Amino acid sequence: MKRWKRTIVSAMAAVLVIGVVAACNNSSGESTKKESGDSASSGQQNGKLRLLGPAGSNKYIKFDDRAKYPVWGEVDKLLSDAGLQLDYELVPSEQYSVVIKTRMASGTNLPDIVNISALDNTTVLNLAKQGVLLDLKPLIEKYSNGNIKKMYDVEFPYAKKSTTSPDGKMYWFSDLHKKTYQGKDPAPVSLTMLIRKDWLEKLNLPVPATAEEYLQTLKAVRDKDANGNGKKDEVLVYDPSKFDGAIAQWFGLGTDITAVDVESKKVVSPWYQDGIKDYFRYLQQLVKEGILDTSLIGGTAEQKQQKMTENQVTSLSDYNLETYQEPTIQGGGEYLPLMPLKAVDGITPAAQLEPPFLVWQKYAITKDAKNVEAAIKFFDTIYSDKYADFLYWGIEGQTYKKDDNGANVYINNKSDEDLAKIGQTPGVKLFGDTVFPRVQFANLEFELSSVPKYKADNELSILKYKPYFVNMNGNYLAIPDDKQLETKTKILTNLSTYSTELATKLALGQKSLDHWDEYIAEMKRLDWTS
Amino acid sequence: MRATSQPRKRSSFRLRENMQLYLIMLPVLLHIFIFSYIPMYGIVIAFQNYYPGKPFISFHESVNWVGFQHFIDFFNGPYFGRLMRNTFLLSFYFLVFGFWVPILFALLLNELKSGIFKKYVQTASYLPHFISNVVVAGMVLSFINTDGIVNAIVKLFGGTAVALNTEPGYFPAIYTITSIWKAFGWSSILYLASMSSVDPHLYEAAKMDGANRFKQMLHITLPSIRPTIFILLIFAIGNLLSANSEFILLIYNPMVYETADVIGTYLYRDGLLGGNFSSGTAVGLFISLINFTLLYIANTLSRKYSDYALW
Amino acid sequence: MASVRRNPNKIKQGSVAVDIILYAIALVICLITLYPFYFVVIMSISSPSEVAAMNVFWYPKGLFFDSYELIIRDSKMWWAYSNTLIYVVAGTILNCFTAVLGAYPLTVRNLKGRKWVIAFLLIPMYFGGGLIPSYLLVNKLGMYNTMFAVIIPGMVSIWNIILVRTFFTTIPDGLKESAFIDGASHWQLLFKVILPISKPILAVIAIYSIVGIWNSWFDALVYLPNEKLHPLQMYLYRVVVQQSVDLKMLSLEDTKNAVANMLSNIQLKYAIIVFTTLPVIFTYPFFQKYFIKGALLGSLKE
């Protein structure tokens, strides 16, 4: 009995103490809230806004040093002309995801405008349902000067689709990007198989034109010791566990377990497509010949970089216009992008494209915003042509110029370190993706002018190439509603575990294609929505 | 023992003594209550469909209670058996092959004569503890690569190179050896501290009796660390379902899922793909319950047969 | 045994051979465990391209000290260093203190409800409410974005309490009894008798705390958005996190930057590891003397 009494007494004592502590904090919390409330109401006139976002991760061009960049002066002027006074809270980018998740989930310490890109669609919709985020549509109707509407309706009509929630509301603004060629044609770049051009030339090998030739070429490159180090260690870097390496598309396969066929507006899964068995047969051959480096499967970007630096990568899947791999090769080298190669009769090889229109990142207005008019004004300023120019191109004559055909091209194609020294950079490196959305009117002309001709040629032929799949399927999928979401979260992990494991084992020949029907039956069992 | 050797106390004295003892503990108990017990209400999301931003406990419809659905889904999931087996086996191997290593090492160090060499060995032994998982994983992967150091040694002795990183059979060994290597020096510190409390006179007396070094170790040093060994063993058993998933994530790949995919790594992928807070919490709760039960059983057995126990 | 007794001198002779074996084993262990750190050090001073190619195994290739220069010149790093010192000193003292306070009463046999207290301690080791409730609590207590958020929640370690308690149980009862006969209270017994002979375990707790706090970053990640309050390990964490970016999720332009970042970080990582771990490794020898045979007696005599 006594023991019980004591327990109760001590528990009560503990509760008391905690109650006092909590009370203290409550009152202090309220008093600070009042203060901020006061400042916000006085901010009603002068358009004060608090913004929360990640600090950029650029080592040299830092937001803290913004005063020394002319482009910031221009943007700052745009903002102050709109009567805005901005108060930034920038959190180190590596930390931001955790900070925003905890703050949003708890609904505390919220600013007026917040970058919530780290949250997935579902979480955001739930936050909106709890009233943490505001529906933007009525606010735009009421306060906007028309800029936002113009940008979303005229320039980026598809952006609306991927940012409107199933209940017809809109909770976030986005980064908007489009890349065009000759002023209007959409210009996607492709992800494709790259092959060492200098090695082909050195060994007098022709550029492979079919999948079979490709295999033979890789074999020849290795057997003839193209890098000349005395070892047969020239390899193909390719991850067979997913379908986002470009070889899969040679067999007409989609780029993900659920991929979007944009032309026919259908969702496809590579597992149920015609070329799938041939694809694995082909991979098995690559593995058997020892061309595909199996030790890199599931490896990190850093490990792949090692192979690259060691001058051992004959071929890999990457952007056709990439220029960042070559400088890292010890001894140098050149990568030639291949067009999609024919692999099977009856299947036209597809290309893998990065969509020319991108919509990504999320910027929202929170329930704690005292001055929503100013918040909308902020986004009106962002979604203007002037801002877009400053952001992506910078200042004419300083960071970019017009070429003969009137297309913008950068002047200083230098490293970030040098750009920081001379203080000349387009806005995107300085403040893009922090609390400032990116609005980008990119063009292909500049990209083409900064790559070797053989890469540019590949890009020009890919522009008209069909069929194709896109690598960022999310851009084409509508936001799921609650029900879809529930089923998705329930099956997705098991399904993708099964898919990656099966794909890898098939490619490595650890599982035989003979039992194909069993695998598919098992997959259908996991994916009971199909 | 003390109770019998001292005159019987009056109960008021007992009460006062107990008050005094609880007073000593009070700050600690209070802290644990505030920082460990108050947040525990978060466990309820194991029984909901929770998404960030929702309140945990609320009486209107925004909380979607699903009872034990997440547990049932996990038990009926296609990977339940494999995940449980892998999680258990990896910790079990570590327990069986790794638990006694720090003890042996501490005994070994204890036998070395004090001096610079001993200090160096001891310091060196605990260095691996400081190397971040990422770096260790990078080293391990480069060692077990087909053209890595391990295969070079295999070839040296006339063997043929094996794909250590793609063959599921090797994964448990790789994981266990690396984990032991990383932890044994660090874990031995505790044993060394316990050994240091032995009265040197005991050794001298034993020497007089003609006990050799091995016997001294067996009858003096080892008993001095027995309580520590038992307590650590009880906790090790209470952790039989928790493999180091942070490290596994860095060294596994789809080809070795069969032996390498543990509950922690599965939940990581689950969280990454679906943001499944609720099912993650449910699985975590399930694991904790099992671990806690194991701890309870281990403690009960230990108390029964060895007299060392947590309570 | 019999032969030993007949020939006492042989014990010594035999032990020389044993000594040699023991030393040889110790040497091998030493080399195996020393290598990774050596590896990190030579990586940190080799040229970035060699590091990226993982060509460095036995000796540094192409000496390169720019990473160290970059770190040393970064004022943020020195901020982080001083923050970490504050966290370590405060946290270690508090941890030792609370471990002793929590452990001692549990060794007294006629403590009523001891079982319950131990259960009270064990449950949080296995069950927790997750991140969000803890965040809400810290926020409610007004500690968000202050140094307290890292120090206060971590000032009690249940694991340490159990370790100290285990050590206390090995203290001979005779010591306590003689104190009680002198009429000492539990407070006096704890601070005058028990503590002085507990140096070895306090040294362990101190080392565990120092290293634990020195290496910790998660609390800072969650509770300290202000970079000025970051501990040293956030520095390393940020470099490591950047490396794990999935390049396949990025657009062409962003990939360019990510690759450049990754390349410069591959080598920087090693320099930061050396820079952030060396100081804490050097604290170890200061505590080591407490782990030597007979340390207890030494402290008794003091």
Side-chain angles (χ1 to χ4, degrees), chain A residues 408-467:
Chain A
N408 293 350
V409 289
Y410 290 113
I411 296 172
N412 302 307
N413 203 12
K414 288 183 182 165
S415 74
D416 291 346
E417 196 174 358
D418 294 333
L419 289 179
K421 269 182 202 147
I422 57 174
Q424 291 293 354
T425 169
V428 60
K429 288 182 195 245
L430 186 60
F431 53 81
D433 281 346
T434 54
V435 290
F436 291 98
R438 283 156 68 167
V439 187
Q440 309 189 149
F441 293 95
N443 64 39
L444 192 60
E445 281 86 346
F446 170 70
E447 302 266 9
L448 294 182
S449 73
S450 57
V451 297
K453 186 168 178 308
Y454 56 88
K455 292 196 180 192
D457 289 346
N458 173 279
E459 172 61 23
L460 289 176
S461 13
I462 218 79
L463 279 182
K464 290 165 210 128
Y465 191 87
K466 266 177 198 172

Side-chain angles (χ1 to χ4, degrees), chain B residues 197-215:
Chain B
S197 63
V198 179
D199 187 341
H201 291 118
L202 282 178
Y203 290 108
E204 275 158 34
K207 241 181 241 170
M208 298 292 233
D209 287 351
N212 61 17
R213 274 168 76 168
F214 183 71
K215 287 238 153 93

Side-chain angles (χ1 to χ4, degrees), chain A residues 47-299:
Chain A
K48 253 190 192 154
L49 285 175
R50 286 172 308 143
L51 305 99
L52 172 65
S57 57
N58 198 307
K59 273 209 195 64
Y60 303 102
I61 304 168
K62 294 175 183 159
F63 190 69
D64 284 345
D65 308 329
R66 57 189 181 276
K68 77 171 189 186
Y69 296 92
V71 69
W72 174 255
E74 298 289 338
V75 171
D76 200 30
K77 197 163 159 289
L78 283 184
L79 294 166
S80 52
D81 284 352
L84 297 172
Q85 260 186 301
L86 305 182
D87 184 10
Y88 311 98
E89 184 186 351
L90 297 190
V91 175
S93 54
E94 301 82 1
Q95 189 186 4
Y96 189 70
S97 157
V98 173
V99 166
I100 196 62
K101 277 175 188 161
T102 45
R103 276 207 204 176
M104 295 307 290
S106 66
T108 52
N109 292 319
L110 299 182
D112 300 306
I113 292 175
V114 60
N115 179 334
I116 47 167
S117 313
L119 308 178
D120 59 66
N121 289 348
T122 329
T123 306
V124 175
L125 294 187
N126 269 294
L127 288 171
K129 243 184 238 166
Q130 309 303 322
V132 179
L133 303 175
L134 303 185
D135 179 14
L136 301 172
K137 275 187 180 165
L139 301 181
I140 297 172
E141 288 299 329
K142 196 165 168 197
Y143 299 114
S144 170
N145 65 5
N147 277 1
I148 297 173
K149 254 197 152 158
K150 195 181 135 227
M151 202 58 92
Y152 270 79
D153 289 354
V154 181
E155 296 284 358
F156 298 91
Y158 51 88
K160 239 181 175 172
K161 198 172 64 195
S162 57
T163 55
T164 304
S165 71
D167 59 5
K169 291 178 177 166
M170 176 177 168
Y171 294 109
W172 66 85
F173 291 110
S174 295
D175 284 2
L176 303 173
H177 168 96
K178 80 172 163 188
K179 190 179 276 178
T180 50
Y181 183 52
Q182 293 174 343
K184 56 182 200 312
D185 294 341
V189 294
S190 84
L191 283 123
T192 183
M193 296 313 293
L194 308 176
I195 193 164
R196 275 294 283 268
K197 183 169 178 285
D198 51 325
W199 285 356
L200 295 186
E201 282 158 8
K202 181 178 163 192
L203 303 173
N204 242 334
L205 294 165
V207 176
T210 64
E212 180 54 29
E213 282 178 39
Y214 174 76
L215 191 150
Q216 297 306 332
T217 309
L218 294 189
K219 238 165 92 177
V221 165
R222 184 199 54 190
D223 292 341
K224 291 180 180 166
D225 189 20
N227 63 12
N229 67 354
K231 284 189 233 161
K232 293 183 176 180
D233 55 3
E234 295 79 2
V235 293
L236 158 68
V237 175
Y238 188 83
D239 184 356
S241 68
K242 293 177 194 149
F243 297 95
D244 56 1
I247 293 180
Q249 281 74 55
W250 296 352
F251 294 80
L253 305 179
T255 52
D256 200 356
I257 313 183
T258 49
V260 183
D261 185 341
V262 180
E263 292 288 309
S264 68
K265 298 204 165 79
K266 263 195 235 152
V267 174
V268 295
S269 171
W271 287 106
Y272 304 106
Q273 286 179 292
D274 292 337
I276 183 81
K277 279 188 185 172
D278 288 309
Y279 170 62
F280 283 117
R281 267 185 216 114
Y282 186 69
L283 289 185
Q284 284 176 358
Q285 256 180 300
L286 287 170
V287 170
K288 213 177 82 198
E289 300 286 357
I291 297 166
L292 195 160
D293 189 342
T294 52
S295 67
L296 287 177
I297 295 173

